[in-house]
Amino acid sequence: MMSLENFRKETKDWLQANCPESMRQPIRSEADICWGGRNWTFASDDQKLWLERMAERGWTVPTWPTEYGGGGLSKDEAFVLKEELKAINARSPLDSFGIWMLGPALLKYGTHEQKLKFLPPIARGEIRWCQGYSEPGAGSDLVSLRTKGVLDGDHYTVNGQKVWTSYADQSDWIFALVRTEADAPKYNGISFLLIDMDQPGVTTKPIKLISGKSPFCETFFDDAKALVENRVGDAGQGWEIAKYLLSHERAGIVSEAAFGGLNPVSAAHQSGEVEADGKMSDPILRGDVARLTIDGLAFEATMRRVKEEADHGEGVGARASLLKYMGTELNKRRNELNMSALGSDGLLWEGEKESDGDPARSWLRSRANSIEGGTSEINLNIVAKRVLNLPGA
Protein backbone atom coordinates (compact mmCIF):
# COMPACT_ATOMS: atom_id res chain seq x y z
CA MET A 1 0.00 0.00 0.00
CA MET A 2 1.26 3.47 -0.91
CA SER A 3 2.20 5.67 2.04
CA LEU A 4 0.18 8.84 2.60
CA GLU A 5 3.32 10.88 1.90
CA ASN A 6 3.79 9.23 -1.49
CA PHE A 7 0.07 9.49 -2.22
CA ARG A 8 0.20 13.22 -1.54
CA LYS A 9 3.17 13.69 -3.88
CA GLU A 10 1.54 11.66 -6.65
CA THR A 11 -1.75 13.52 -6.20
CA LYS A 12 -0.08 16.92 -6.25
CA ASP A 13 1.82 16.05 -9.44
CA TRP A 14 -1.31 14.71 -11.14
CA LEU A 15 -3.39 17.77 -10.24
CA GLN A 16 -0.69 20.13 -11.47
CA ALA A 17 -0.61 18.29 -14.79
CA ASN A 18 -4.36 17.77 -15.25
CA CYS A 19 -6.32 20.61 -13.65
CA PRO A 20 -6.85 23.31 -16.31
CA GLU A 21 -5.79 26.78 -15.23
CA SER A 22 -9.32 28.16 -15.67
CA MET A 23 -10.59 25.56 -13.20
CA ARG A 24 -8.29 27.03 -10.53
CA GLN A 25 -10.23 30.27 -10.37
CA PRO A 26 -12.85 31.19 -7.73
CA ILE A 27 -16.43 30.44 -8.68
CA ARG A 28 -17.96 33.67 -9.95
CA SER A 29 -21.50 32.61 -10.66
CA GLU A 30 -23.89 29.66 -11.06
CA ALA A 31 -22.51 29.14 -14.58
CA ASP A 32 -19.17 28.06 -13.10
CA ILE A 33 -20.81 25.14 -11.28
CA CYS A 34 -21.03 21.87 -13.20
CA TRP A 35 -24.18 19.86 -12.44
CA GLY A 36 -23.96 17.29 -15.24
CA GLY A 37 -26.83 15.22 -16.57
CA ARG A 38 -28.25 14.12 -19.93
CA ASN A 39 -29.04 17.66 -21.02
CA TRP A 40 -26.08 19.45 -19.48
CA THR A 41 -24.29 22.08 -21.58
CA PHE A 42 -20.73 22.69 -20.43
CA ALA A 43 -19.74 26.30 -19.82
CA SER A 44 -16.33 25.68 -21.40
CA ASP A 45 -14.10 22.97 -22.85
CA ASP A 46 -12.01 23.13 -19.67
CA GLN A 47 -15.07 22.44 -17.49
CA LYS A 48 -15.79 19.30 -19.57
CA LEU A 49 -12.15 18.20 -19.57
CA TRP A 50 -11.81 18.67 -15.81
CA LEU A 51 -14.89 16.53 -15.14
CA GLU A 52 -13.75 13.79 -17.52
CA ARG A 53 -10.27 13.59 -16.03
CA MET A 54 -11.50 13.50 -12.44
CA ALA A 55 -14.25 10.99 -13.23
CA GLU A 56 -11.79 8.69 -15.00
CA ARG A 57 -9.82 8.40 -11.76
CA GLY A 58 -13.01 8.06 -9.70
CA TRP A 59 -12.15 11.27 -7.88
CA THR A 60 -15.58 12.87 -8.26
CA VAL A 61 -16.53 10.33 -5.56
CA PRO A 62 -13.12 9.38 -4.14
CA THR A 63 -14.27 7.03 -1.36
CA TRP A 64 -16.85 5.07 -3.36
CA PRO A 65 -15.78 1.55 -4.42
CA THR A 66 -14.07 1.41 -7.81
CA GLU A 67 -16.65 -1.06 -9.18
CA TYR A 68 -19.28 1.66 -8.69
CA GLY A 69 -17.29 4.44 -10.34
CA GLY A 70 -15.43 5.66 -7.29
CA GLY A 71 -11.74 6.09 -6.53
CA GLY A 72 -11.60 3.46 -3.79
CA LEU A 73 -9.61 5.84 -1.59
CA SER A 74 -9.36 5.51 2.16
CA LYS A 75 -10.75 8.33 4.31
CA ASP A 76 -7.20 9.61 4.93
CA GLU A 77 -6.35 9.55 1.22
CA ALA A 78 -9.58 11.36 0.40
CA PHE A 79 -8.70 14.05 2.92
CA VAL A 80 -5.26 14.46 1.31
CA LEU A 81 -6.95 14.82 -2.09
CA LYS A 82 -9.29 17.46 -0.65
CA GLU A 83 -6.34 19.37 0.81
CA GLU A 84 -4.40 19.31 -2.48
CA LEU A 85 -7.47 20.44 -4.45
CA LYS A 86 -7.89 23.30 -2.01
CA ALA A 87 -4.17 24.18 -2.27
CA ILE A 88 -4.51 24.98 -5.98
CA ASN A 89 -7.99 26.55 -5.59
CA ALA A 90 -9.46 23.85 -7.83
CA ARG A 91 -13.18 24.02 -8.49
CA SER A 92 -15.32 21.00 -7.77
CA PRO A 93 -15.53 19.06 -11.05
CA LEU A 94 -19.13 18.07 -10.33
CA ASP A 95 -21.88 19.15 -7.95
CA SER A 96 -24.63 16.60 -7.72
CA PHE A 97 -27.55 15.61 -5.53
CA GLY A 98 -26.66 12.11 -6.70
CA ILE A 99 -23.31 12.41 -4.97
CA TRP A 100 -24.41 14.24 -1.83
CA MET A 101 -27.66 12.45 -1.12
CA LEU A 102 -28.74 9.48 -3.24
CA GLY A 103 -25.30 7.87 -3.57
CA PRO A 104 -24.77 7.27 0.16
CA ALA A 105 -28.34 5.91 0.48
CA LEU A 106 -27.82 3.53 -2.46
CA LEU A 107 -24.50 2.35 -1.06
CA LYS A 108 -26.21 1.48 2.23
CA TYR A 109 -29.65 0.24 1.11
CA GLY A 110 -29.45 -0.46 -2.64
CA THR A 111 -29.04 -3.85 -4.28
CA HIS A 112 -25.86 -4.70 -6.18
CA GLU A 113 -27.80 -4.33 -9.43
CA GLN A 114 -29.10 -0.89 -8.44
CA LYS A 115 -25.59 0.23 -7.51
CA LEU A 116 -24.18 -0.94 -10.85
CA LYS A 117 -27.03 0.74 -12.74
CA PHE A 118 -27.03 4.14 -11.05
CA LEU A 119 -23.77 4.88 -9.23
CA PRO A 120 -21.24 4.91 -12.13
CA PRO A 121 -23.38 7.37 -14.19
CA ILE A 122 -23.66 9.58 -11.10
CA ALA A 123 -19.88 9.52 -10.68
CA ARG A 124 -19.36 10.46 -14.35
CA GLY A 125 -21.93 13.27 -14.22
CA GLU A 126 -24.18 11.58 -16.77
CA ILE A 127 -27.37 11.62 -14.73
CA ARG A 128 -28.88 14.49 -12.75
CA TRP A 129 -31.18 13.88 -9.80
CA CYS A 130 -33.72 15.89 -7.88
CA GLN A 131 -35.38 15.13 -4.56
CA GLY A 132 -39.10 14.45 -4.17
CA TYR A 133 -39.76 14.81 -0.46
CA SER A 134 -41.84 17.92 0.37
CA GLU A 135 -45.48 18.25 -0.62
CA PRO A 136 -48.17 20.88 -0.10
CA GLY A 137 -49.17 20.13 3.51
CA ALA A 138 -46.10 17.96 4.15
CA GLY A 139 -42.95 20.05 4.53
CA SER A 140 -41.28 19.75 7.92
CA ASP A 141 -43.99 17.18 8.76
CA LEU A 142 -42.92 14.86 5.96
CA VAL A 143 -44.79 11.88 7.31
CA SER A 144 -48.07 13.55 6.23
CA LEU A 145 -47.19 13.09 2.55
CA ARG A 146 -50.06 11.95 0.28
CA THR A 147 -48.41 11.08 -3.04
CA LYS A 148 -49.51 7.48 -3.66
CA GLY A 149 -47.99 4.54 -5.47
CA VAL A 150 -50.24 1.58 -6.34
CA LEU A 151 -48.55 -1.73 -7.15
CA ASP A 152 -49.49 -2.98 -10.62
CA GLY A 153 -47.42 -5.97 -11.73
CA ASP A 154 -43.79 -4.93 -12.22
CA HIS A 155 -44.35 -1.26 -11.45
CA TYR A 156 -46.03 1.28 -9.20
CA THR A 157 -48.51 3.75 -10.66
CA VAL A 158 -47.72 7.07 -8.97
CA ASN A 159 -50.11 10.00 -8.51
CA GLY A 160 -49.60 13.16 -6.48
CA GLN A 161 -47.61 16.36 -6.20
CA LYS A 162 -44.22 17.36 -4.82
CA VAL A 163 -43.06 20.90 -4.15
CA TRP A 164 -39.72 22.70 -3.66
CA THR A 165 -38.09 20.08 -5.90
CA SER A 166 -34.82 21.86 -6.68
CA TYR A 167 -33.91 21.82 -10.40
CA ALA A 168 -36.68 19.33 -11.20
CA ASP A 169 -37.13 20.96 -14.60
CA GLN A 170 -33.51 20.10 -15.46
CA SER A 171 -33.23 16.68 -13.82
CA ASP A 172 -33.25 13.23 -15.39
CA TRP A 173 -34.49 11.22 -12.42
CA ILE A 174 -36.13 11.90 -9.06
CA PHE A 175 -35.77 10.00 -5.79
CA ALA A 176 -39.14 10.28 -4.11
CA LEU A 177 -41.01 9.30 -0.99
CA VAL A 178 -44.30 7.69 -1.99
CA ARG A 179 -47.05 6.19 0.17
CA THR A 180 -47.38 2.62 -1.11
CA GLU A 181 -48.87 0.80 1.89
CA ALA A 182 -52.24 2.49 2.39
CA ASP A 183 -53.25 0.47 5.48
CA ALA A 184 -49.91 0.57 7.30
CA PRO A 185 -49.10 3.01 10.15
CA LYS A 186 -48.09 6.30 8.56
CA TYR A 187 -44.37 5.91 9.30
CA ASN A 188 -44.33 2.40 7.85
CA GLY A 189 -46.33 2.93 4.69
CA ILE A 190 -43.80 4.96 2.72
CA SER A 191 -41.46 3.59 0.04
CA PHE A 192 -38.37 5.14 -1.55
CA LEU A 193 -38.81 5.08 -5.34
CA LEU A 194 -36.50 6.09 -8.19
CA ILE A 195 -38.61 7.58 -10.98
CA ASP A 196 -37.52 8.50 -14.52
CA MET A 197 -38.58 12.11 -15.20
CA ASP A 198 -38.59 11.52 -18.97
CA GLN A 199 -41.96 9.78 -19.26
CA PRO A 200 -45.61 10.69 -19.78
CA GLY A 201 -47.29 11.67 -16.53
CA VAL A 202 -44.38 13.66 -15.04
CA THR A 203 -44.52 17.44 -15.37
CA THR A 204 -42.74 20.29 -13.64
CA LYS A 205 -43.55 23.93 -13.04
CA PRO A 206 -40.88 26.43 -11.85
CA ILE A 207 -41.59 28.51 -8.75
CA LYS A 208 -40.48 32.11 -9.14
CA LEU A 209 -38.52 33.41 -6.18
CA ILE A 210 -37.60 36.82 -4.80
CA SER A 211 -34.11 36.34 -6.31
CA GLY A 212 -35.60 36.40 -9.81
CA LYS A 213 -34.28 32.92 -10.52
CA SER A 214 -36.08 29.69 -9.98
CA PRO A 215 -34.16 26.63 -8.77
CA PHE A 216 -37.35 25.32 -7.15
CA CYS A 217 -40.24 23.62 -8.92
CA GLU A 218 -43.53 21.93 -8.38
CA THR A 219 -43.56 18.36 -9.70
CA PHE A 220 -46.74 16.51 -10.67
CA PHE A 221 -47.26 12.76 -11.10
CA ASP A 222 -50.30 11.68 -13.13
CA ASP A 223 -50.26 7.88 -13.55
CA ALA A 224 -46.45 7.96 -13.79
CA LYS A 225 -44.65 4.62 -13.56
CA ALA A 226 -41.88 3.52 -11.20
CA LEU A 227 -40.50 0.03 -11.73
CA VAL A 228 -40.46 -2.20 -8.66
CA GLU A 229 -36.82 -2.98 -9.42
CA ASN A 230 -36.15 0.75 -8.83
CA ARG A 231 -37.58 0.72 -5.30
CA VAL A 232 -34.71 1.12 -2.83
CA GLY A 233 -35.09 -1.09 0.23
CA ASP A 234 -38.23 -2.96 1.13
CA ALA A 235 -41.76 -1.72 0.57
CA GLY A 236 -42.57 0.57 3.51
CA GLN A 237 -38.91 1.12 4.44
CA GLY A 238 -38.82 4.60 2.90
CA TRP A 239 -38.97 6.54 6.15
CA GLU A 240 -35.81 4.86 7.47
CA ILE A 241 -33.97 5.55 4.20
CA ALA A 242 -35.26 9.13 4.13
CA LYS A 243 -33.85 9.87 7.58
CA TYR A 244 -30.46 8.44 6.57
CA LEU A 245 -30.45 10.48 3.37
CA LEU A 246 -31.47 13.66 5.22
CA SER A 247 -28.31 13.52 7.34
CA HIS A 248 -26.26 13.55 4.11
CA GLU A 249 -28.44 16.29 2.60
CA ARG A 250 -27.83 18.48 5.64
CA ALA A 251 -24.08 17.81 5.44
CA GLY A 252 -24.18 18.70 1.72
CA ILE A 253 -26.06 21.94 2.37
CA VAL A 254 -23.54 22.77 5.09
CA SER A 255 -20.52 22.12 2.90
CA GLU A 256 -21.83 24.17 -0.03
CA ALA A 257 -23.29 26.88 2.15
CA ALA A 258 -20.28 27.40 4.36
CA PHE A 259 -17.48 27.06 1.83
CA GLY A 260 -18.89 27.46 -1.68
CA GLY A 261 -19.34 30.49 -3.92
CA LEU A 262 -18.02 34.04 -3.65
CA ASN A 263 -16.21 34.91 -0.41
CA PRO A 264 -15.81 38.36 1.20
CA VAL A 265 -12.08 38.53 0.42
CA SER A 266 -12.71 38.04 -3.31
CA ALA A 267 -15.60 40.51 -3.11
CA ALA A 268 -13.34 43.08 -1.45
CA HIS A 269 -10.77 42.65 -4.24
CA GLN A 270 -13.50 43.16 -6.86
CA SER A 271 -14.67 46.39 -5.27
CA GLY A 272 -11.19 47.83 -4.70
CA GLU A 273 -11.47 47.54 -0.91
CA VAL A 274 -8.05 45.86 -0.74
CA GLU A 275 -4.99 48.11 -0.66
CA ALA A 276 -1.63 47.44 -2.29
CA ASP A 277 -0.30 45.78 0.86
CA GLY A 278 -3.22 43.32 0.84
CA LYS A 279 -5.02 44.99 3.75
CA MET A 280 -8.72 45.87 3.57
CA SER A 281 -9.17 49.61 3.90
CA ASP A 282 -12.38 49.43 5.96
CA PRO A 283 -11.45 48.36 9.53
CA ILE A 284 -15.00 47.26 10.40
CA LEU A 285 -15.23 45.08 7.30
CA ARG A 286 -11.72 43.76 8.00
CA GLY A 287 -12.75 42.71 11.50
CA ASP A 288 -15.98 41.09 10.34
CA VAL A 289 -14.15 39.12 7.64
CA ALA A 290 -11.53 37.98 10.17
CA ARG A 291 -14.24 36.76 12.56
CA LEU A 292 -16.05 34.92 9.77
CA THR A 293 -12.80 33.32 8.64
CA ILE A 294 -11.97 32.14 12.16
CA ASP A 295 -15.50 30.82 12.72
CA GLY A 296 -15.33 29.07 9.34
CA LEU A 297 -12.06 27.35 10.25
CA ALA A 298 -13.47 26.27 13.62
CA PHE A 299 -16.57 24.95 11.88
CA GLU A 300 -14.47 23.06 9.33
CA ALA A 301 -12.46 21.48 12.16
CA THR A 302 -15.71 20.45 13.87
CA MET A 303 -17.01 18.93 10.65
CA ARG A 304 -13.79 16.95 10.28
CA ARG A 305 -13.99 15.70 13.89
CA VAL A 306 -17.60 14.58 13.47
CA LYS A 307 -16.71 12.89 10.19
CA GLU A 308 -13.76 11.05 11.75
CA GLU A 309 -15.97 9.86 14.60
CA ALA A 310 -18.55 8.73 12.06
CA ASP A 311 -15.85 6.78 10.22
CA HIS A 312 -15.19 4.86 13.43
CA GLY A 313 -18.76 3.64 13.60
CA GLU A 314 -20.47 6.30 15.67
CA GLY A 315 -22.41 7.73 12.72
CA VAL A 316 -23.29 11.40 12.25
CA GLY A 317 -26.84 10.99 13.48
CA ALA A 318 -28.43 13.99 15.16
CA ARG A 319 -25.19 15.99 14.95
CA ALA A 320 -26.04 16.59 11.30
CA SER A 321 -28.68 18.99 12.62
CA LEU A 322 -26.08 20.91 14.62
CA LEU A 323 -23.80 21.18 11.58
CA LYS A 324 -26.68 22.18 9.32
CA TYR A 325 -27.77 24.99 11.64
CA MET A 326 -24.26 26.39 12.09
CA GLY A 327 -23.49 26.11 8.37
CA THR A 328 -26.69 27.99 7.59
CA GLU A 329 -25.76 30.85 9.92
CA LEU A 330 -22.23 31.03 8.46
CA ASN A 331 -23.55 31.16 4.92
CA LYS A 332 -25.96 33.98 5.72
CA ARG A 333 -23.10 35.94 7.33
CA ARG A 334 -20.85 35.26 4.32
CA ASN A 335 -23.43 36.56 1.87
CA GLU A 336 -24.15 39.64 3.97
CA LEU A 337 -20.41 40.40 4.12
CA ASN A 338 -20.13 39.89 0.36
CA MET A 339 -22.77 42.55 -0.13
CA SER A 340 -21.00 44.89 2.31
CA ALA A 341 -17.65 44.37 0.60
CA LEU A 342 -19.08 44.99 -2.88
CA GLY A 343 -20.82 48.19 -1.83
CA SER A 344 -23.12 49.67 -4.47
CA ASP A 345 -21.79 47.16 -7.07
CA GLY A 346 -23.50 44.44 -5.08
CA LEU A 347 -26.87 45.98 -5.87
CA LEU A 348 -26.50 45.41 -9.62
CA TRP A 349 -29.26 43.16 -10.87
CA GLU A 350 -28.65 43.05 -14.60
CA GLY A 351 -25.85 44.56 -16.68
CA GLU A 352 -23.11 43.84 -19.16
CA LYS A 353 -21.03 41.60 -16.91
CA GLU A 354 -21.77 37.89 -16.76
CA SER A 355 -21.82 37.96 -12.97
CA ASP A 356 -24.07 41.01 -12.57
CA GLY A 357 -26.81 40.25 -10.10
CA ASP A 358 -25.22 37.05 -8.79
CA PRO A 359 -24.09 38.44 -5.40
CA ALA A 360 -27.53 39.90 -4.72
CA ARG A 361 -29.29 36.76 -5.94
CA SER A 362 -26.97 34.60 -3.83
CA TRP A 363 -27.69 36.77 -0.77
CA LEU A 364 -31.43 36.38 -1.31
CA ARG A 365 -31.02 32.67 -1.99
CA SER A 366 -29.12 32.19 1.28
CA ARG A 367 -32.29 33.03 3.22
CA ALA A 368 -33.73 29.69 2.08
CA ASN A 369 -30.95 27.81 3.92
CA SER A 370 -32.96 28.32 7.13
CA ILE A 371 -35.83 26.34 5.63
CA GLU A 372 -34.49 23.67 3.26
CA GLY A 373 -33.28 20.34 4.60
CA GLY A 374 -35.32 20.94 7.76
CA THR A 375 -35.98 24.39 9.21
CA SER A 376 -33.60 25.92 11.73
CA GLU A 377 -36.31 25.52 14.39
CA ILE A 378 -36.67 21.79 13.62
CA ASN A 379 -32.90 21.29 13.72
CA LEU A 380 -32.51 23.22 16.99
CA ASN A 381 -35.22 21.02 18.53
CA ILE A 382 -33.31 17.93 17.40
CA VAL A 383 -30.08 19.31 18.89
CA ALA A 384 -31.85 20.08 22.19
CA LYS A 385 -33.45 16.63 22.44
CA ARG A 386 -30.91 14.26 20.92
CA VAL A 387 -27.52 15.95 21.20
CA LEU A 388 -27.75 17.97 24.43
CA ASN A 389 -30.44 15.81 26.13
CA LEU A 390 -31.94 18.95 27.65
CA PRO A 391 -34.70 18.29 30.19
CA GLY A 392 -38.17 19.09 28.89
CA ALA A 393 -36.95 19.52 25.29
Side-chain angles (χ1 to χ4, degrees):
M1 180 181 291
M2 185 185 299
S3 69
L4 272 183
E5 184 179 348
N6 287 338
F7 177 77
R8 184 182 294 279
K9 181 180 184 309
E10 181 182 282
T11 299
K12 184 181 297 185
D13 292 344
W14 187 87
L15 291 175
Q16 286 294 343
N18 289 279
C19 183
E21 191 60 39
S22 66
M23 294 293 103
R24 306 183 193 189
Q25 308 297 324
I27 290 176
R28 300 158 302 177
S29 67
E30 175 84 12
D32 290 334
I33 299 172
C34 178
W35 289 96
R38 286 194 291 240
N39 301 312
W40 180 252
T41 300
F42 288 95
S44 67
D45 291 341
D46 281 351
Q47 189 183 64
K48 182 173 185 291
L49 184 64
W50 180 224
L51 171 58
E52 290 174 345
R53 286 175 173 174
M54 288 289 279
E56 187 175 0
R57 289 182 75 92
W59 282 3
T60 54
V61 282
T63 60
W64 288 10
T66 54
E67 67 178 317
Y68 302 138
L73 300 187
S74 67
K75 302 291 184 184
D76 289 338
E77 289 171 334
F79 186 74
V80 168
L81 172 61
K82 182 180 178 181
E83 284 188 324
E84 294 304 322
L85 286 165
K86 187 175 181 180
I88 62 170
N89 297 315
R91 293 178 185 171
S92 170
L94 179 65
D95 285 301
S96 164
F97 293 171
I99 292 176
W100 301 339
M101 294 187 266
L102 179 61
L106 276 177
L107 284 169
K108 182 175 177 67
Y109 294 99
T111 65
H112 178 61
E113 290 72 21
Q114 288 172 337
K115 294 173 185 175
L116 286 176
K117 178 178 180 180
F118 292 112
L119 292 178
I122 289 173
R124 294 191 296 266
E126 296 171 351
I127 183 170
R128 187 170 181 177
W129 291 85
C130 59
Q131 180 190 53
Y133 274 23
S134 296
E135 298 182 7
S140 294
D141 182 22
L142 264 182
V143 78
S144 296
L145 64 86
R146 292 182 293 179
T147 294
K148 293 181 180 177
V150 178
L151 187 60
D152 183 11
D154 65 348
H155 68 273
Y156 290 95
T157 299
V158 181
N159 284 281
Q161 177 188 355
K162 298 292 179 179
V163 71
W164 308 120
T165 40
S166 301
Y167 304 107
D169 55 341
Q170 301 171 49
S171 296
D172 306 311
W173 284 68
I174 184 170
F175 48 92
L177 294 178
V178 176
R179 190 167 297 285
T180 57
E181 318 297 309
D183 299 327
K186 59 182 183 179
Y187 282 98
N188 299 327
I190 298 169
S191 293
F192 191 96
L193 303 183
L194 309 181
I195 304 173
D196 192 341
M197 299 284 280
D198 186 18
Q199 63 167 303
V202 179
T203 55
T204 62
K205 179 181 177 183
I207 301 171
K208 193 169 185 177
L209 301 180
I210 189 173
S211 65
K213 293 189 176 179
S214 183
F216 297 120
C217 295
E218 294 175 283
T219 302
F220 303 90
F221 301 104
D222 297 294
D223 291 334
K225 291 184 178 180
L227 294 176
V228 173
E229 67 183 36
N230 292 333
R231 184 193 68 219
V232 181
D234 297 329
Q237 196 183 7
W239 187 248
E240 175 186 335
I241 299 171
K243 286 193 298 181
Y244 179 78
L245 187 146
L246 269 173
S247 68
H248 289 274
E249 178 187 7
R250 287 166 181 161
I253 291 173
V254 163
S255 180
E256 176 62 22
F259 308 114
L262 183 68
N263 64 67
V265 176
S266 297
H269 275 282
Q270 287 183 30
S271 64
E273 277 284 347
V274 179
E275 299 172 347
D277 61 359
K279 190 174 179 180
M280 291 184 191
S281 53
D282 184 334
I284 296 177
L285 177 64
R286 188 167 65 242
D288 288 344
V289 171
R291 277 186 286 275
L292 177 70
T293 303
I294 292 168
D295 289 347
L297 290 171
F299 181 67
E300 191 171 10
T302 302
M303 284 188 66
R304 185 180 179 191
R305 177 172 58 81
V306 171
K307 192 170 184 300
E308 287 176 348
E309 290 172 355
D311 292 342
H312 287 84
E314 296 183 24
V316 176
R319 289 175 296 181
S321 293
L322 187 152
L323 297 176
K324 197 270 180 178
Y325 175 77
M326 292 306 300
T328 291
E329 294 304 305
L330 278 176
N331 191 46
K332 289 195 294 189
R333 282 172 58 192
R334 176 170 65 86
N335 277 278
E336 287 166 3
L337 275 178
N338 286 343
M339 295 297 286
S340 296
L342 288 168
S344 58
D345 287 349
L347 300 177
L348 289 174
W349 196 251
E350 291 182 353
E352 296 179 354
K353 297 178 182 177
E354 182 183 346
S355 60
D356 279 346
D358 281 331
R361 294 178 201 278
S362 179
W363 172 66
L364 290 167
R365 174 65 180 83
S366 71
R367 319 313 290 175
N369 290 159
S370 302
I371 300 173
E372 60 198 346
T375 65
S376 288
E377 289 77 9
I378 289 285
N379 280 296
L380 286 173
N381 278 337
I382 293 172
V383 171
K385 291 179 180 177
R386 297 172 56 192
V387 177
L388 300 176
N389 294 316
L390 293 179

